[in-house]
Amino acid sequence: MPEHRVCPWWLGYFLASPLRRLVHNPSGILSSYVREGMKVLEPGPGMGFFTLELARLVGVPGRIIAVEIQPKMLAALKRRVAKAGFSGRVDARLGAPHTMGLADVAGSVDFALAFAIVHELPAAGPFFQEVAQALKPGGSVLLAEPSGHVTGQEFAAELEAAAAAGLHRVENPRVPRSRAALLRKAA
Ligand SMILES: C[S@@+](CC[C@H](N)C(=O)[O-])C[C@H]1O[C@@H](n2cnc3c(N)ncnc32)[C@H](O)[C@@H]1O
C-alpha cells in the first residue's frame, strides 16, 4: 500500500461542491443500494458530498455513521448536515488513523460506502476487517476509487485485501472516473 496521504481538508470544499454532480450523481450512484430505514457506514465522508444523499435515502428511521479523521472536515460535515436538517440521523464521528472505533455497531450495518478513501489509508487490510465486522451478514460495500490516482493493479490489491476480510466482489458498478466494485459479506 502507498504511504498514508490524506487529502488536504480545504479540498473538501471542492469535493462537496454541487458542480461535482456533473460527474458524480449521488442519487444515481447510491439509490440501488440504500433503502429507507437502513444503517449505513460512511468512512471518510469529507464534507459530506454523499452523506446528505445517504441521509435522504435512509429517511427518518435510518442512520448514517460517518467516520472522518480530519477535525476540520468533520466540523464542516456537521454544519452541512445540520443545515440540511439531517442531524438526527447522521452520527458524525472523529476516527483515528488505524481504527474507526466501530465496536458499538458491530454486526448491524446494512451498507457501507467507501468512496475515494482506501488509497489514503496506511493499510487496506485492517480497514476492510473493521468494515466487515460492522456489517450484518449479507451486508454490502460500494468501493470506488479515483481511476486517476489508483492503478488497476492497486485496485486489484484492494480487492484482495477485501476478500481476505470476507468481502467478495459481486458486481462491477459503473461509476464515472472511478474503479468500482460492490462487495458483499457472506449471508
Ligand atoms: C478524497 S476524500 C473523499 C471524501 C468523500 N468520500 C467524497 O468522495 O467526497 C477522502 C476522505 O477520507 C478521509 N480519511 C482518510 N483517512 C481516513 C481514516 N483513516 N478514517 C476516516 N477518514 C479518513 C480524509 O480526511 C478525506 O476526508
Side-chain angles (χ1 to χ4, degrees):
M1 286 295 294
E3 291 287 297
H4 196 200
R5 43 182 170 145
V6 175
C7 89
W9 67 269
W10 48 265
L11 256 185
Y13 289 107
F14 293 95
L15 290 171
S17 152
L19 279 180
R20 185 175 169 196
R21 288 171 177 271
L22 297 173
V23 180
H24 291 147
N25 172 350
S27 167
I29 292 170
L30 298 170
S31 57
S32 331
Y33 310 116
V34 185
R35 299 271 173 276
E36 190 173 63
M38 277 187 168
K39 190 183 280 187
V40 172
L41 171 66
E42 189 188 10
M47 294 186 184
F49 180 74
F50 289 106
T51 317
L52 299 185
E53 181 64 17
L54 288 170
R56 194 185 68 74
L57 289 167
V58 301
V60 174
R63 187 168 169 221
I64 312 299
I65 299 114
V67 187
E68 176 53 58
I69 200 178
Q70 299 194 68
K72 284 184 174 168
M73 289 277 199
L74 189 69
L77 171 71
K78 286 182 175 173
R79 278 196 302 274
R80 285 163 50 83
V81 164
K83 195 172 167 199
F86 292 149
S87 298
R89 56 186 104 157
V90 177
D91 173 358
R93 305 179 175 185
L94 188 64
H98 296 277
T99 178
M100 290 184 277
L102 298 172
D104 61 318
V105 294
S108 71
V109 168
D110 298 286
F111 174 76
L113 175 68
F115 206 107
I117 174 177
V118 177
H119 66 285
E120 294 195 358
L121 301 173
F127 169 79
F128 285 118
Q129 295 283 355
E130 267 198 299
V131 172
Q133 280 164 17
L135 284 174
K136 283 179 181 168
S140 58
V141 184
L142 177 60
L143 170 66
E145 289 281 72
S147 43
H149 295 334
V150 176
T151 65
Q153 208 176 356
E154 285 167 341
F155 192 66
E158 291 180 8
L159 291 175
E160 268 181 42
L167 300 173
H168 296 279
R169 172 149 63 170
V170 291
E171 280 176 32
N172 295 310
R174 293 176 82 85
V175 178
R177 298 196 192 170
S178 307
R179 302 184 196 282
L182 187 74
L183 313 174
R184 185 153 292 138
K185 177 174 171 174

